[in-house]
Structure formats: structure tokens, C-alpha cells
Coordinates of all heavy atoms in Angstrom, one line a residue:
M1 N 0.9 -1.2 -0.1 CA 0.0 0.0 0.0 C 0.9 1.2 0.0 O 1.9 1.3 0.7 CB -0.9 -0.1 1.2 CG -1.8 1.2 1.3 SD -2.7 1.1 2.8 CE -4.2 1.7 2.3
V2 N 0.5 2.2 -0.8 CA 1.3 3.5 -1.0 C 0.9 4.4 0.2 O -0.3 4.6 0.5 CB 1.1 4.2 -2.2 CG1 1.7 5.5 -2.3 CG2 1.4 3.2 -3.4
Q3 N 1.9 4.8 1.0 CA 1.8 5.8 2.0 C 1.4 7.2 1.6 O 1.8 7.6 0.4 CB 3.0 5.9 2.9 CG 3.6 4.7 3.5 CD 2.8 4.4 4.7 OE1 2.2 5.2 5.5 NE2 2.7 3.1 4.8
P4 N 0.4 7.9 2.3 CA 0.0 9.2 1.7 C 1.2 10.0 1.7 O 2.1 10.0 2.6 CB -0.9 9.7 2.9 CG -1.4 8.4 3.5 CD -0.3 7.4 3.5
G5 N 1.3 10.8 0.6 CA 2.5 11.6 0.5 C 3.7 11.0 -0.2 O 4.6 11.7 -0.7
H6 N 3.7 9.6 -0.2 CA 4.8 8.9 -0.8 C 4.8 9.1 -2.3 O 6.0 9.3 -2.9 CB 4.8 7.4 -0.5 CG 5.8 6.5 -1.0 ND1 7.1 6.6 -0.6 CD2 5.9 5.7 -2.1 CE1 7.8 5.8 -1.3 NE2 7.0 5.2 -2.3
L7 N 3.8 8.9 -2.9 CA 3.6 9.2 -4.4 C 4.1 10.6 -4.7 O 4.9 10.8 -5.7 CB 2.2 8.9 -4.9 CG 2.1 8.9 -6.4 CD1 3.0 7.9 -7.1 CD2 0.6 8.7 -6.8
Y8 N 3.7 11.6 -4.0 CA 4.1 12.9 -4.2 C 5.7 13.0 -4.1 O 6.3 13.7 -5.0 CB 3.5 13.9 -3.2 CG 3.9 15.3 -3.3 CD1 3.7 16.1 -4.4 CD2 4.9 15.8 -2.4 CE1 4.1 17.5 -4.5 CE2 5.5 17.0 -2.6 CZ 5.1 17.9 -3.6 OH 5.6 19.1 -3.7
Q9 N 6.2 12.5 -3.1 CA 7.7 12.5 -2.9 C 8.4 11.8 -4.0 O 9.5 12.3 -4.4 CB 8.1 11.9 -1.6 CG 7.7 12.7 -0.4 CD 8.4 14.0 -0.3 OE1 9.5 14.2 -0.8 NE2 7.8 15.1 0.2
H10 N 7.8 10.7 -4.5 CA 8.4 9.9 -5.6 C 8.4 10.8 -6.9 O 9.3 10.9 -7.6 CB 7.6 8.6 -5.8 CG 8.2 7.8 -6.9 ND1 9.4 7.2 -6.9 CD2 7.6 7.5 -8.2 CE1 9.6 6.5 -8.0 NE2 8.6 6.7 -8.8
R11 N 7.2 11.5 -7.2 CA 7.2 12.4 -8.3 C 8.1 13.5 -8.2 O 8.7 13.8 -9.2 CB 5.8 12.9 -8.5 CG 4.8 11.9 -9.0 CD 3.5 12.4 -9.2 NE 2.5 11.5 -9.9 CZ 1.2 11.6 -9.9 NH1 0.6 12.8 -9.5 NH2 0.5 10.7 -10.4
K12 N 8.2 14.1 -7.0 CA 9.2 15.2 -6.9 C 10.5 14.7 -7.1 O 11.3 15.5 -7.7 CB 8.9 15.7 -5.5 CG 9.7 17.0 -5.1 CD 9.4 17.5 -3.7 CE 10.2 18.8 -3.5 NZ 10.0 19.3 -2.1
L13 N 10.9 13.6 -6.7 CA 12.3 13.0 -6.9 C 12.5 13.0 -8.4 O 13.6 13.3 -8.9 CB 12.4 11.8 -6.1 CG 13.8 11.1 -6.3 CD1 14.9 12.0 -5.8 CD2 13.8 9.8 -5.6
N14 N 11.5 12.4 -9.1 CA 11.6 12.2 -10.6 C 11.7 13.5 -11.2 O 12.5 13.6 -12.2 CB 10.5 11.3 -11.1 CG 10.6 9.8 -10.7 OD1 11.7 9.3 -10.4 ND2 9.6 9.1 -10.7
H15 N 10.9 14.3 -10.7 CA 11.1 15.8 -11.4 C 12.5 16.4 -11.2 O 13.0 17.1 -12.0 CB 9.9 16.6 -10.7 CG 8.5 16.2 -11.2 ND1 7.5 16.9 -10.6 CD2 8.0 15.4 -12.1 CE1 6.4 16.4 -11.2 NE2 6.7 15.5 -11.9
Q16 N 13.0 16.2 -10.0 CA 14.3 16.7 -9.7 C 15.3 16.1 -10.7 O 16.3 16.8 -11.2 CB 14.7 16.6 -8.3 CG 13.9 17.5 -7.3 CD 14.0 18.9 -7.7 OE1 14.9 19.5 -8.0 NE2 12.7 19.6 -7.7
K17 N 15.2 14.8 -10.8 CA 16.1 14.1 -11.8 C 16.0 14.6 -13.2 O 17.0 14.7 -14.0 CB 15.9 12.6 -11.7 CG 16.4 11.9 -10.5 CD 16.1 10.5 -10.5 CE 16.6 9.7 -9.4 NZ 16.4 8.2 -9.5
L18 N 14.7 14.9 -13.6 CA 14.4 15.3 -15.0 C 15.0 16.8 -15.0 O 15.5 17.1 -16.1 CB 12.9 15.3 -15.2 CG 12.5 15.8 -16.5 CD1 13.1 15.0 -17.7 CD2 10.9 15.6 -16.7
I19 N 14.6 17.6 -14.2 CA 15.3 18.9 -14.2 C 16.8 18.9 -14.3 O 17.3 19.6 -15.3 CB 14.9 19.7 -12.9 CG1 13.4 20.1 -13.1 CG2 15.7 21.0 -12.8 CD1 12.7 20.6 -11.8
K20 N 17.5 18.1 -13.6 CA 18.9 18.0 -13.6 C 19.4 17.5 -15.0 O 20.3 18.1 -15.6 CB 19.4 17.1 -12.6 CG 20.9 17.0 -12.4 CD 21.2 16.1 -11.2 CE 22.7 16.0 -11.1 NZ 23.2 15.2 -10.0
R21 N 18.7 16.6 -15.5 CA 19.0 16.1 -16.9 C 18.8 17.1 -18.0 O 19.6 17.3 -18.9 CB 18.2 14.8 -17.2 CG 18.5 14.0 -18.5 CD 17.8 12.8 -18.5 NE 18.1 12.1 -19.7 CZ 17.6 10.9 -20.0 NH1 16.6 10.3 -19.2 NH2 17.9 10.4 -21.2
I22 N 17.6 17.8 -17.9 CA 17.3 18.9 -18.9 C 18.5 20.0 -18.8 O 19.0 20.4 -19.9 CB 16.0 19.5 -18.6 CG1 14.8 18.5 -18.9 CG2 15.8 20.8 -19.4 CD1 13.4 19.0 -18.5
K23 N 18.9 20.4 -17.6 CA 19.8 21.5 -17.6 C 21.2 21.0 -18.1 O 21.8 21.7 -18.8 CB 19.9 21.9 -16.0 CG 18.8 22.7 -15.6 CD 19.0 23.1 -14.2 CE 18.0 24.0 -13.7 NZ 18.2 24.5 -12.3
K24 N 21.5 19.7 -17.8 CA 22.8 19.3 -18.4 C 22.7 19.1 -19.9 O 23.7 19.6 -20.6 CB 23.0 17.7 -17.7 CG 24.3 17.1 -18.3 CD 24.5 15.8 -17.8 CE 25.8 15.2 -18.2 NZ 25.9 13.8 -17.7
N25 N 21.7 18.7 -20.4 CA 21.5 18.5 -21.9 C 21.5 19.9 -22.6 O 22.0 20.2 -23.6 CB 20.3 17.7 -22.4 CG 20.5 16.2 -22.0 OD1 21.6 15.8 -21.9 ND2 19.5 15.5 -21.9
E26 N 20.7 20.8 -22.1 CA 20.5 22.2 -22.6 C 21.8 23.0 -22.4 O 22.1 23.9 -23.3 CB 19.3 22.9 -22.0 CG 18.0 22.4 -22.5 CD 17.7 22.7 -24.0 OE1 18.3 23.6 -24.5 OE2 17.0 22.0 -24.5
G27 N 22.5 22.9 -21.4 CA 23.5 23.8 -21.0 C 23.0 25.2 -20.5 O 21.7 25.3 -20.6
F28 N 23.7 26.2 -20.3 CA 23.2 27.4 -19.8 C 23.9 28.5 -20.5 O 25.1 28.5 -20.6 CB 23.4 27.5 -18.2 CG 22.9 28.8 -17.7 CD1 21.6 29.0 -17.4 CD2 23.8 29.9 -17.5 CE1 21.2 30.2 -16.9 CE2 23.5 31.1 -17.0 CZ 22.0 31.3 -16.7
S29 N 23.2 29.5 -20.9 CA 23.8 30.8 -21.4 C 23.1 32.0 -20.8 O 21.9 32.1 -20.9 CB 23.6 30.9 -22.9 OG 24.3 32.0 -23.4
I30 N 23.9 32.9 -20.2 CA 23.3 34.1 -19.6 C 23.0 35.2 -20.8 O 22.3 36.1 -20.5 CB 24.3 34.7 -18.6 CG1 23.5 35.6 -17.7 CG2 25.4 35.3 -19.2 CD1 24.0 35.7 -16.2
K31 N 23.7 35.0 -21.9 CA 23.4 35.8 -23.1 C 22.5 35.1 -24.1 O 22.6 33.9 -24.3 CB 24.8 36.2 -23.7 CG 25.8 37.0 -22.8 CD 27.0 37.1 -23.6 CE 28.0 37.9 -22.8 NZ 29.3 38.0 -23.4
P32 N 21.7 35.8 -24.8 CA 21.0 35.3 -25.8 C 21.8 34.8 -27.0 O 22.9 35.3 -27.3 CB 20.0 36.5 -26.4 CG 20.2 37.5 -25.3 CD 21.5 37.2 -24.6
Y33 N 21.3 33.7 -27.5 CA 22.0 33.0 -28.6 C 21.0 32.5 -29.6 O 19.8 32.2 -29.2 CB 23.0 31.9 -28.1 CG 22.3 30.8 -27.5 CD1 21.9 29.6 -28.2 CD2 22.0 30.8 -26.1 CE1 21.2 28.6 -27.7 CE2 21.3 29.8 -25.5 CZ 21.0 28.7 -26.3 OH 20.3 27.6 -25.6
K34 N 21.4 32.3 -30.8 CA 20.4 31.5 -31.7 C 20.6 30.1 -31.7 O 21.7 29.5 -31.8 CB 20.7 32.0 -33.2 CG 20.1 33.5 -33.4 CD 20.2 33.8 -34.8 CE 19.6 35.2 -35.1 NZ 19.5 35.5 -36.4
D35 N 19.4 29.4 -31.5 CA 19.5 27.9 -31.5 C 19.6 27.3 -32.8 O 19.8 28.1 -33.8 CB 18.2 27.4 -30.9 CG 16.9 27.6 -31.5 OD1 16.9 28.1 -32.8 OD2 15.8 27.3 -31.0
Q36 N 19.6 26.0 -33.1 CA 19.8 25.4 -34.3 C 18.8 25.8 -35.4 O 19.1 25.6 -36.6 CB 19.9 23.9 -34.2 CG 18.8 23.2 -33.7 CD 19.1 21.8 -33.3 OE1 20.2 21.4 -33.1 NE2 18.0 21.0 -33.0
L37 N 17.7 26.3 -35.0 CA 16.6 26.7 -35.9 C 16.6 28.2 -36.1 O 15.8 28.7 -36.9 CB 15.2 26.3 -35.4 CG 15.0 24.7 -35.3 CD1 13.7 24.5 -34.6 CD2 15.1 24.0 -36.5
G38 N 17.5 28.8 -35.5 CA 17.7 30.2 -35.7 C 16.9 31.2 -34.8 O 16.8 32.4 -35.1
F39 N 16.3 30.6 -33.7 CA 15.5 31.3 -32.8 C 16.3 31.8 -31.6 O 17.2 30.9 -31.2 CB 14.3 30.5 -32.3 CG 13.3 30.2 -33.4 CD1 13.3 28.8 -33.9 CD2 12.5 31.2 -34.0 CE1 12.3 28.6 -34.9 CE2 11.6 30.8 -35.0 CZ 11.5 29.5 -35.4
F40 N 16.1 33.0 -31.2 CA 16.9 33.5 -30.0 C 16.4 32.7 -28.7 O 15.3 32.5 -28.4 CB 16.7 35.0 -29.7 CG 17.6 35.8 -30.6 CD1 17.1 36.4 -31.7 CD2 18.9 35.9 -30.4 CE1 17.9 37.2 -32.5 CE2 19.8 36.6 -31.2 CZ 19.3 37.3 -32.3
T41 N 17.4 32.2 -28.1 CA 17.3 31.4 -26.8 C 18.1 32.0 -25.7 O 19.2 32.6 -26.0 CB 17.6 30.1 -27.1 OG1 16.8 29.6 -28.3 CG2 17.3 29.1 -26.0
I42 N 17.7 31.7 -24.4 CA 18.6 32.2 -23.3 C 18.4 31.2 -22.1 O 17.4 30.4 -22.1 CB 18.2 33.7 -22.9 CG1 19.2 34.2 -22.0 CG2 16.8 33.7 -22.3 CD1 19.1 35.8 -21.8
G43 N 19.4 31.3 -21.2 CA 19.2 30.4 -20.0 C 19.4 28.9 -20.3 O 20.4 28.6 -21.0
Y44 N 18.4 28.1 -19.8 CA 18.5 26.6 -20.0 C 17.6 26.3 -21.2 O 16.6 25.6 -21.1 CB 18.1 25.8 -18.8 CG 18.9 26.1 -17.6 CD1 18.6 26.8 -16.6 CD2 20.2 25.3 -17.6 CE1 19.4 27.0 -15.5 CE2 20.9 25.4 -16.5 CZ 20.6 26.2 -15.5 OH 21.4 26.4 -14.3
G45 N 17.9 27.0 -22.4 CA 17.1 26.7 -23.6 C 15.7 27.3 -23.6 O 14.8 26.8 -24.3
H46 N 15.5 28.4 -23.0 CA 14.2 29.2 -23.0 C 14.2 29.9 -24.4 O 15.0 30.8 -24.7 CB 14.2 30.2 -21.9 CG 12.9 31.0 -22.0 ND1 11.7 30.5 -21.7 CD2 12.8 32.3 -22.4 CE1 10.8 31.5 -21.9 NE2 11.4 32.6 -22.3
L47 N 13.1 29.6 -25.2 CA 12.8 30.3 -26.5 C 12.3 31.7 -26.0 O 11.3 31.8 -25.3 CB 11.7 29.6 -27.2 CG 11.2 30.2 -28.5 CD1 12.4 30.4 -29.4 CD2 10.1 29.5 -29.1
I48 N 13.0 32.8 -26.5 CA 12.6 34.2 -26.2 C 11.4 34.4 -27.1 O 11.5 34.3 -28.4 CB 13.8 35.1 -26.5 CG1 14.9 34.8 -25.5 CG2 13.2 36.5 -26.3 CD1 16.1 35.6 -25.8
L49 N 10.3 34.7 -26.6 CA 9.0 34.9 -27.2 C 9.0 36.4 -27.6 O 9.7 37.3 -27.2 CB 7.8 34.6 -26.3 CG 7.8 33.2 -25.8 CD1 6.8 33.0 -24.8 CD2 7.6 32.2 -26.9
P50 N 8.1 36.8 -28.7 CA 7.9 38.1 -29.1 C 7.7 39.1 -28.0 O 8.2 40.3 -28.1 CB 6.8 38.1 -30.2 CG 6.8 36.7 -30.6 CD 7.3 35.8 -29.4
N51 N 6.9 38.7 -27.0 CA 6.7 39.7 -25.9 C 7.8 39.7 -24.8 O 7.7 40.4 -23.8 CB 5.3 39.3 -25.2 CG 5.3 38.0 -24.5 OD1 6.2 37.2 -24.9 ND2 4.5 37.8 -23.5
E52 N 8.9 39.1 -25.1 CA 10.0 39.1 -24.1 C 11.3 39.7 -24.7 O 12.4 39.2 -24.4 CB 10.4 37.6 -23.7 CG 9.3 36.8 -23.0 CD 9.7 35.5 -22.7 OE1 10.1 34.7 -23.7 OE2 9.4 34.9 -21.6
K53 N 11.1 40.7 -25.5 CA 12.3 41.4 -26.2 C 13.2 42.0 -25.2 O 14.4 42.1 -25.4 CB 11.8 42.5 -27.1 CG 10.9 42.1 -28.2 CD 11.6 41.4 -29.2 CE 10.8 41.0 -30.4 NZ 11.4 40.1 -31.4
N54 N 12.8 42.2 -23.9 CA 13.6 42.7 -22.8 C 14.8 41.7 -22.7 O 15.9 42.1 -22.1 CB 12.9 43.0 -21.6 CG 12.2 41.9 -21.0 OD1 11.6 41.0 -21.7 ND2 12.3 41.8 -19.7
L55 N 14.6 40.4 -22.8 CA 15.6 39.5 -22.6 C 16.8 39.6 -23.6 O 17.8 39.1 -23.4 CB 15.0 38.1 -22.7 CG 14.1 37.7 -21.6 CD1 13.5 36.2 -21.8 CD2 14.6 37.8 -20.2
L56 N 16.5 40.3 -24.8 CA 17.5 40.5 -25.8 C 18.4 41.7 -25.4 O 19.4 41.9 -25.9 CB 16.9 40.6 -27.1 CG 16.2 39.5 -27.7 CD1 15.5 39.8 -28.9 CD2 17.2 38.4 -28.0
E57 N 17.8 42.7 -24.7 CA 18.3 44.0 -24.6 C 19.2 44.3 -23.4 O 20.0 45.2 -23.4 CB 17.2 45.0 -24.6 CG 16.5 45.0 -25.9 CD 15.1 45.7 -25.9 OE1 14.7 46.3 -24.8 OE2 14.4 45.8 -26.9
K58 N 18.9 43.7 -22.3 CA 19.7 44.0 -21.1 C 20.2 42.7 -20.5 O 19.8 41.5 -20.8 CB 18.8 44.6 -20.0 CG 17.6 43.9 -19.6 CD 16.8 44.7 -18.5 CE 15.6 43.8 -18.0 NZ 14.9 44.5 -17.0
K59 N 21.3 42.8 -19.6 CA 21.9 41.6 -18.9 C 20.8 41.0 -17.9 O 20.3 41.8 -17.1 CB 23.1 42.0 -18.2 CG 23.9 40.9 -17.8 CD 25.4 41.2 -17.2 CE 26.0 40.1 -16.8 NZ 27.4 40.2 -16.6
I60 N 20.6 39.8 -18.0 CA 19.7 39.2 -17.1 C 20.5 38.4 -16.0 O 21.5 37.6 -16.4 CB 18.8 38.1 -17.9 CG1 18.2 38.9 -19.2 CG2 17.7 37.5 -17.1 CD1 17.3 40.0 -18.8
K61 N 20.1 38.4 -14.9 CA 20.7 37.6 -13.7 C 20.3 36.1 -13.8 O 19.3 35.8 -14.3 CB 20.4 38.3 -12.4 CG 20.9 39.6 -12.2 CD 20.6 40.1 -10.8 CE 21.2 41.5 -10.7 NZ 21.1 42.1 -9.3
K62 N 21.3 35.4 -13.4 CA 21.1 33.9 -13.5 C 19.9 33.5 -12.7 O 19.1 32.6 -13.1 CB 22.4 33.1 -13.0 CG 22.2 31.7 -13.1 CD 23.5 30.9 -12.8 CE 23.1 29.4 -12.9 NZ 24.4 28.6 -12.8
N63 N 19.6 34.1 -11.5 CA 18.5 33.6 -10.7 C 17.2 33.9 -11.4 O 16.2 33.3 -11.2 CB 18.5 34.3 -9.2 CG 18.5 35.8 -9.3 OD1 18.6 36.5 -10.2 ND2 18.2 36.3 -8.1
H64 N 17.1 35.0 -12.2 CA 15.9 35.5 -13.0 C 15.7 34.3 -14.1 O 14.6 33.9 -14.3 CB 15.9 36.8 -13.7 CG 14.7 37.2 -14.4 ND1 13.6 37.4 -13.7 CD2 14.6 37.3 -15.7 CE1 12.7 37.6 -14.7 NE2 13.2 37.7 -16.0
L65 N 16.8 33.8 -14.8 CA 16.7 32.8 -15.8 C 16.4 31.5 -15.1 O 15.6 30.7 -15.8 CB 18.0 32.7 -16.5 CG 18.4 34.0 -17.3 CD1 19.8 33.9 -17.8 CD2 17.4 34.2 -18.5
E66 N 16.7 31.3 -13.9 CA 16.3 30.1 -13.2 C 14.8 30.1 -13.0 O 14.1 29.0 -13.1 CB 17.0 30.0 -11.8 CG 16.7 28.7 -11.1 CD 17.2 27.5 -11.7 OE1 18.3 27.4 -12.3 OE2 16.6 26.5 -11.5
I67 N 14.3 31.3 -12.5 CA 12.8 31.4 -12.4 C 12.0 31.1 -13.7 O 11.0 30.4 -13.7 CB 12.5 32.8 -11.8 CG1 13.0 32.9 -10.4 CG2 10.9 33.1 -11.9 CD1 13.0 34.3 -9.8
I68 N 12.6 31.7 -14.8 CA 12.0 31.4 -16.1 C 12.0 29.9 -16.4 O 11.0 29.3 -16.9 CB 12.8 32.1 -17.2 CG1 12.4 33.7 -17.0 CG2 12.4 31.7 -18.6 CD1 13.3 34.6 -17.9
F69 N 13.1 29.2 -16.1 CA 13.2 27.7 -16.4 C 12.1 27.1 -15.5 O 11.4 26.2 -16.1 CB 14.6 27.3 -16.0 CG 14.7 25.8 -16.1 CD1 14.7 25.1 -17.3 CD2 14.4 25.0 -15.0 CE1 14.8 23.7 -17.4 CE2 14.5 23.7 -15.0 CZ 14.7 23.0 -16.2
Q70 N 12.0 27.4 -14.2 CA 11.0 26.7 -13.4 C 9.6 27.0 -14.0 O 8.8 26.0 -14.0 CB 11.1 27.3 -12.0 CG 12.3 26.9 -11.2 CD 12.6 25.4 -11.1 OE1 11.6 24.6 -10.9 NE2 13.8 25.0 -11.1
K71 N 9.3 28.1 -14.5 CA 8.0 28.4 -15.1 C 7.8 27.6 -16.4 O 6.7 27.0 -16.5 CB 7.8 29.9 -15.5 CG 7.7 30.8 -14.2 CD 7.5 32.2 -14.6 CE 7.3 33.2 -13.5 NZ 7.2 34.5 -13.8
D72 N 8.8 27.5 -17.2 CA 8.8 26.7 -18.4 C 8.5 25.2 -18.1 O 7.7 24.6 -18.6 CB 10.0 26.8 -19.2 CG 10.2 28.2 -19.9 OD1 9.3 28.9 -20.0 OD2 11.4 28.3 -20.4
F73 N 9.2 24.7 -17.0 CA 9.1 23.4 -16.6 C 7.7 23.1 -16.1 O 7.1 22.0 -16.6 CB 10.1 23.0 -15.6 CG 10.1 21.5 -15.2 CD1 10.8 20.5 -16.0 CD2 9.4 21.2 -14.0 CE1 10.7 19.3 -15.7 CE2 9.4 19.8 -13.7 CZ 10.0 18.9 -14.5
K74 N 7.2 23.9 -15.3 CA 5.8 23.7 -14.7 C 4.8 23.7 -15.8 O 3.9 22.9 -15.9 CB 5.5 24.8 -13.7 CG 6.2 24.5 -12.4 CD 5.9 25.6 -11.4 CE 6.6 25.5 -10.1 NZ 6.4 26.5 -9.1
K75 N 4.9 24.7 -16.8 CA 3.9 24.8 -17.9 C 4.1 23.5 -18.8 O 3.1 23.0 -19.1 CB 4.3 25.9 -18.7 CG 3.3 26.2 -19.9 CD 3.6 27.5 -20.7 CE 2.7 27.6 -21.9 NZ 3.2 28.8 -22.7
T76 N 5.2 23.1 -19.0 CA 5.4 21.8 -19.9 C 4.9 20.6 -19.2 O 4.2 19.8 -19.8 CB 7.0 21.7 -20.2 OG1 7.5 22.8 -20.8 CG2 7.2 20.4 -21.1
L77 N 5.2 20.5 -17.8 CA 4.6 19.4 -17.1 C 3.0 19.4 -17.1 O 2.4 18.3 -17.3 CB 5.2 19.4 -15.7 CG 4.9 18.2 -14.8 CD1 5.5 17.0 -15.4 CD2 5.5 18.5 -13.5
K78 N 2.5 20.5 -16.9 CA 1.0 20.7 -16.9 C 0.5 20.2 -18.3 O -0.5 19.5 -18.5 CB 0.7 22.1 -16.7 CG -0.8 22.4 -16.6 CD -1.1 23.8 -16.3 CE -2.6 24.1 -16.4 NZ -2.9 25.6 -16.2
N79 N 1.1 20.7 -19.4 CA 0.7 20.4 -20.7 C 0.8 18.8 -21.0 O 0.0 18.2 -21.5 CB 1.4 21.1 -21.8 CG 1.1 22.4 -21.9 OD1 -0.1 22.9 -21.4 ND2 1.9 23.3 -22.4
F80 N 2.0 18.3 -20.5 CA 2.2 16.8 -20.7 C 1.1 16.1 -19.9 O 0.5 15.1 -20.4 CB 3.6 16.5 -20.1 CG 3.7 14.9 -19.9 CD1 4.1 14.2 -21.1 CD2 3.7 14.3 -18.7 CE1 4.2 12.9 -20.9 CE2 3.8 12.9 -18.6 CZ 4.1 12.2 -19.8
N81 N 0.7 16.4 -18.7 CA -0.3 15.7 -17.9 C -1.6 15.8 -18.5 O -2.5 14.9 -18.5 CB -0.3 16.2 -16.5 CG 0.9 15.7 -15.7 OD1 1.3 14.6 -15.8 ND2 1.4 16.5 -14.8
F82 N -1.9 17.0 -19.1 CA -3.3 17.2 -19.9 C -3.3 16.3 -21.0 O -4.4 15.6 -21.3 CB -3.3 18.7 -20.3 CG -4.6 19.0 -21.1 CD1 -5.8 19.1 -20.7 CD2 -4.4 19.0 -22.5 CE1 -6.9 19.3 -21.4 CE2 -5.5 19.2 -23.4 CZ -6.7 19.4 -22.8
F83 N -2.4 16.2 -21.8 CA -2.3 15.3 -23.0 C -2.3 13.9 -22.6 O -3.0 13.1 -23.3 CB -1.2 15.6 -24.0 CG -1.3 16.9 -24.7 CD1 -0.5 18.0 -24.5 CD2 -2.4 17.1 -25.7 CE1 -0.8 19.2 -25.2 CE2 -2.6 18.3 -26.2 CZ -1.7 19.3 -26.1
L84 N -1.6 13.5 -21.6 CA -1.6 12.1 -21.2 C -3.0 11.8 -20.6 O -3.4 10.6 -21.0 CB -0.7 12.0 -19.9 CG -0.4 10.6 -19.4 CD1 0.3 9.7 -20.5 CD2 0.5 10.6 -18.2
K85 N -3.8 12.6 -20.0 CA -5.1 12.3 -19.6 C -6.1 12.1 -20.8 O -6.9 11.3 -20.8 CB -5.7 13.4 -18.6 CG -5.0 13.3 -17.3 CD -5.6 14.4 -16.4 CE -4.9 14.4 -15.0 NZ -5.5 15.5 -14.2
S86 N -5.8 13.0 -21.8 CA -6.7 12.9 -23.0 C -6.5 11.7 -23.7 O -7.4 11.3 -24.5 CB -6.5 14.1 -23.9 OG -5.2 14.1 -24.5
F87 N -5.4 10.9 -23.7 CA -5.2 9.7 -24.4 C -5.5 8.5 -23.4 O -5.4 7.3 -23.9 CB -3.8 9.5 -24.8 CG -3.5 10.5 -26.0 CD1 -2.6 11.6 -25.8 CD2 -4.0 10.2 -27.2 CE1 -2.4 12.4 -26.9 CE2 -3.7 11.1 -28.3 CZ -2.9 12.3 -28.1
S88 N -5.8 8.7 -22.2 CA -6.2 7.5 -21.3 C -7.6 7.1 -21.5 O -8.4 7.8 -21.8 CB -6.0 8.0 -19.9 OG -4.6 8.3 -19.6

């Protein structure tokens, strides 16, 4: 029987492993660069959106890029879970 909170801890652990793997694979850049498709990217592979032109113009601190990564990760995880449920 699964203990209450155990599944949450297991998922959290898996998320931490996934985050570590993504960061390792993406690498990190404090300066904007063009990805292999020619799109501007920053931080841990964050695609700079049209409404984020400020990320191109000024120096961004690493902790701000970390926050952006966390938001990207949460959004992606939410979308993944949504699509996973729709195929179940």
C-alpha cells in the first residue's frame, strides 16, 4: 500500500532528476544566442518569445533565468499531464 505523500515525494524526486537532466543537456547561457533553428534562446534553452524582447536588450541575472526555467518546466509538465489524460 502506498503511504500518503509517498507518491508525491516519488514524483518530486523524479522531477528533480528530470530537471537536472534537462539542464545538463541544454547547457546554460546568460546571453541570448540563436538555437539550431535560428530562434533566440537564453538560460536553459528558453525560447525568447515576441513579448520578451527585454531578454535580448539587457543583462539578465542567473536567478531570474532560473525562475524562467521553473515556469517553463511547470507549464510543460502541466501540458504533458493534460495530453496524457486525454489519451487515457
Side-chain angles (χ1 to χ4, degrees):
M1 179 181 219
V2 176
Q3 297 286 327
H6 178 72
L7 185 58
Y8 172 77
Q9 289 296 329
H10 181 70
R11 285 184 178 168
K12 186 175 180 182
L13 178 62
N14 285 338
H15 291 172
Q16 292 305 317
K17 286 181 180 180
L18 180 57
I19 286 169
K20 188 175 181 179
R21 189 171 179 183
I22 290 168
K23 287 181 174 183
K24 182 180 177 184
N25 289 337
E26 284 293 335
F28 179 82
S29 178
I30 201 151
K31 296 179 183 178
Y33 64 94
K34 286 191 175 184
D35 67 9
Q36 60 191 13
L37 298 175
F39 296 108
F40 279 106
T41 307
I42 196 166
Y44 295 104
H46 174 75
L47 174 66
I48 297 175
L49 302 172
N51 65 333
E52 296 177 317
K53 297 290 185 193
N54 63 316
L55 294 177
L56 294 170
E57 299 167 357
K58 62 180 181 176
K59 188 170 181 173
I60 308 299
K61 293 184 179 185
K62 185 174 181 176
N63 63 342
H64 182 69
L65 294 171
E66 182 68 38
I67 291 167
I68 290 172
F69 174 80
Q70 293 296 329
K71 287 179 183 178
D72 287 348
F73 183 81
K74 286 178 184 179
K75 181 179 178 183
T76 301
L77 190 59
K78 181 180 175 183
N79 289 337
F80 171 78
N81 286 325
F82 174 79
F83 287 114
L84 186 63
K85 286 179 185 177
S86 68
F87 287 108
S88 299

